[in-house]
Amino acid sequence: MKYTIIGDWYDVSDLAHSFAVVAEGADYEEAKANAAAAVLEAFPWRAEEDGETPETLWGGDNGAYVVAAFHGDLGAQTVDAASFRLIA
C-alpha cells in the first residue's frame, strides 16, 4: 500500500523544508519506516551530523514529526497545495 506522509522538523530554528514522502509498505507502520529512510537520504546531514536513523527520526529533539498521513499517492496534490519538498 502507498501512503503520503507529510512531515516537519521538531527544531524550529532549522530552515530545512517541510516534506511530503510517498512511501510503500504492507501497512502504515512499515510505510512510515520506509519514509524515514527516504527522508534521511534527502536530508543526509540528519544522519551524518545529528546521528538520526530510520528508527529514531520520528521523534526526539532533532527528529521529525508526522503532520498528516494519507492512504495513497497524494504527492502531486500536496506539492500543488503547499510548499513541501516531495520525496518520492
Side-chain angles (χ1 to χ4, degrees):
M1 298 177 145
K2 283 189 179 181
Y3 292 85
T4 301
I5 299 170
I6 298 173
D8 204 351
W9 305 105
Y10 276 111
D11 186 356
V12 294
S13 64
D14 191 339
L15 299 177
H17 296 289
S18 299
F19 52 87
V21 185
V22 177
E24 288 192 59
D27 58 19
Y28 170 71
E29 291 303 320
E30 184 178 320
K32 188 175 161 185
N34 292 337
V39 169
L40 291 175
E41 277 187 38
F43 300 97
W45 64 91
R46 293 291 180 174
E48 296 163 3
E49 296 173 17
D50 298 336
E52 293 293 341
T53 67
E55 293 79 24
T56 65
L57 179 70
W58 303 116
D61 294 336
N62 294 315
Y65 61 95
V66 174
V67 174
F70 303 96
H71 187 258
D73 182 348
L74 303 177
Q77 290 92 329
T78 59
V79 171
D80 288 344
S83 178
F84 296 106
R85 178 170 176 180
L86 178 62
I87 304 168

